[in-house]
Every structure is written in C-alpha cells, then in structure tokens.
Amino acid sequence: MTLEQASPLNLVGTEPEAIFHFRIGVVVTLVVLLSGLLGLLIYAALFGPGFEAASSDPVWAVVLIILLCGILLPFVWILWRKPIVMRVGSAGLHLPFAFKRPLRWEDIHRFRLASQGALIYGRRQWLIIDPAPGVLAPIRLKSWQRLDLWFQKHHGVRIPLHGLDSDFDTVIQSIEHYRPVDR
C-alpha cells in the first residue's frame, strides 16, 4: 500500500487537498454477484432442461446476457478506473458525479452530519450541505431550477460518507480545515 492510498490528504503547494474514491469492497461484491448471475444464466441457457433450439429461447437468452453485461460494465469500469468521488480543496467541495464545478466555500451556508440507524450493513453516515440562500449548487443533472432550489433549501445536498474509501472522521477533518461541521 503506497502512502497516497493510506492517506487521502495530498499536499499540493501549501493547501491540502483531500481526494476520496468509492469503497472498492462494495463494488467488488456487486461485480462478483452479477458475474455469478451471468454465469448461471449462461449455464441455464445452454444446458437447461427446458431449452429448445427450435424456439425463440436462444434469442431471449442472448438478449438477457447482453442486458446483464450492460449492468455489469459500469461496476467493472469503477473498479478499473477508480474515479474520484469527492475532492476537498481550496477551490471548494467538488463531487464530479454530481457537480459541474466545485461548490465554493463561500456558497455553503453550513455542513451537517446525519446518521441512519443500524441496518444490514451497519450505520449509514451522511454529510448534508446547505447552500447559502439563493445559491444553487451546480448539479450536473438537468432539472427545473425552482425545484432544485426548493429541494436544496429544505433537504440540502446529501453525500453518503459510508460509500467512500475513507472513514468519515477523515472526511470531516478535511472539510473542517475550511468550514466547521455541525455534528
């Protein structure tokens, strides 16, 4: 394990920049489960007792295999590329999958932590960003601007900390370098 993998804080000049990735264990589990399902589907299509070569079964088997491969490919891409999920730096907070550009620190009213009770996979930690009044976070998804403003005003922008490769204390510390977080 390299030093860069062990600590998400990378020094760029004098300003620390924290980079966080997906939690790989969850993605590996999904790839294994979907691959097993794909293998079972191929086995059933080729060696199943109800398989008739004269019917349209082979066509539907190929269609299902293509669809399952299409579902599997994004998870394999995440494993292969290991894209950045969140970047915390002097420019602001950037979520490349959600934001077009970084949300500047002065455009953020406050940060809150919220946790969800213990589920099958344990406690879920969420970081909620409340943008400053009248500021619309640069969401990548195109939608009606009034709806975005209303939703962000009442619910904020939610970031699942349980999906990041680092524990939530490290994420909170990197954000608290710039702004306080209400716990």
Side-chain angles (χ1 to χ4, degrees):
M1 180 179 283
T2 66
L3 181 62
E4 183 178 90
Q5 291 172 338
S7 172
L9 291 177
N10 301 325
L11 294 180
V12 179
T14 58
E15 292 292 324
E17 182 179 57
I19 297 173
F20 301 99
H21 301 275
F22 277 114
R23 182 170 286 164
I24 292 299
V26 175
V27 178
V28 168
T29 303
L30 285 171
V31 167
V32 168
L33 288 174
L34 288 173
S35 298
L37 185 60
L38 180 63
L40 184 64
L41 182 67
I42 292 170
Y43 180 79
L46 296 177
F47 303 109
F51 181 74
E52 295 178 18
S55 71
S56 63
D57 289 348
V59 173
W60 288 111
V62 169
V63 168
L64 287 174
I65 289 169
I66 290 171
L67 286 175
L68 198 54
C69 285
I71 292 171
L72 184 64
L73 283 177
F75 297 110
V76 172
W77 179 81
I78 289 171
L79 277 176
W80 179 56
R81 295 290 302 219
K82 199 170 182 194
I84 294 172
V85 176
M86 185 167 70
R87 186 181 301 250
V88 180
S90 59
L93 181 70
H94 189 45
L95 304 165
F97 285 122
F99 295 163
K100 293 178 188 171
R101 62 183 187 288
L103 185 60
R104 299 177 309 171
W105 296 113
E106 56 268 10
D107 291 341
I108 298 172
H109 176 63
R110 70 178 175 161
F111 287 99
R112 297 181 283 146
L113 275 180
S115 63
Q116 196 174 13
L119 298 171
I120 294 173
Y121 296 111
R123 286 189 81 78
R124 301 292 189 186
Q125 298 289 338
W126 295 84
L127 178 67
I128 302 171
I129 304 169
D130 292 325
V135 172
L136 183 62
I139 303 290
R140 212 174 262 287
L141 181 65
K142 298 239 184 238
S143 64
W144 193 33
Q145 189 173 12
R146 279 189 148 175
L147 181 63
D148 275 347
L149 279 171
W150 177 86
F151 190 81
Q152 289 180 23
K153 176 184 171 189
H154 293 292
H155 302 289
V157 177
R158 296 173 173 265
I159 302 170
L161 297 179
H162 51 271
L164 299 178
D165 66 347
S166 193
D167 62 319
F168 82 97
D169 287 330
T170 306
V171 177
I172 298 304
Q173 287 174 358
S174 67
I175 291 172
E176 284 183 334
H177 180 75
Y178 299 98
R179 295 291 302 267
V181 176
D182 297 339
R183 293 179 189 240

